[in-house]
Amino acid sequence: MADTDRRTTVLYHVNGKEAPATSGATLSLVNPATGLPHGTAPRSGPEDVDAACRAAEDAFQSWSTTTPGHRQTTLLRIADALEREADALADAEVTDTGKPRALFLADELPAIVDVLRHFAGAARNLPGATAAEYTPGRTSVLRREPVGVCAQITPWNHPLMMAVWKIAPALAAGNTVVLKPSDATPSPPHPSPVWPPSTSRPAYSTSSARVSGG
């Protein structure tokens, strides 16, 4: 069982910086295993979503032009950081979801790390066709390009695993991300404990609570 005396304060992580909701509004986080509140998270408003989207759009200008090798290295560093911070991630996941700690550490975290390393390899092997002459006098080339900012939503029951399933392929392909985790379990996908200083933080902007009216 998670330590119910430990209070969690989740903040937005946007453009490499942490911040509360612009309005100051918060949501109470409850450990479903105990029924007790254990912390707070920001309650998003339109201005918070706009800020996250602007940061991701700005980051896209540089991240989309990085080499496959750079993207691979970044994802591998994130995977290594997740392994190093296994205990902190387990604390967050168990307290938010109420699931058994041993289950997360034995079954979920190794799979999460493996997904990151899989897409790190895929970053260097994006499929595409060679140039060819399909029409007389013309050469056709298939070029794969990043599409832009990906808005992603994750569920409450596997918050970190589902976040990585969405974030890793998007970053590997040169896109940037705005992530909206469940308002009940925003702690595990929060990047602060695991984000290596050498990676491109602006590639990953999170809006970690519910949008007003959502």
Side-chain angles (χ1 to χ4, degrees), residues 1 13 17-18 25 37 45 59 70 76 78 82 91 95 99 106 109 117 126 137 154 161 165 173-174 180 191-192 210:
M1 182 178 297
H13 187 90
K17 299 177 182 178
E18 293 188 335
H70 179 78
L76 290 174
I78 296 172
L82 288 174
D91 287 343
T95 306
K99 68 179 60 172
L109 188 58
R117 289 175 176 155
L126 295 176
T154 53
M161 179 179 287
W165 283 5
K180 193 275 180 190
S192 296
R210 184 173 56 198

Side-chain angles (χ1 to χ4, degrees), residues 81-104:
L82 288 174
E83 283 190 323
R84 287 196 305 270
E85 299 296 334
D87 287 337
L89 291 168
D91 287 343
E93 183 98 12
V94 170
T95 306
D96 266 13
T97 66
K99 68 179 60 172
R101 184 184 184 88
L103 176 67
F104 173 77

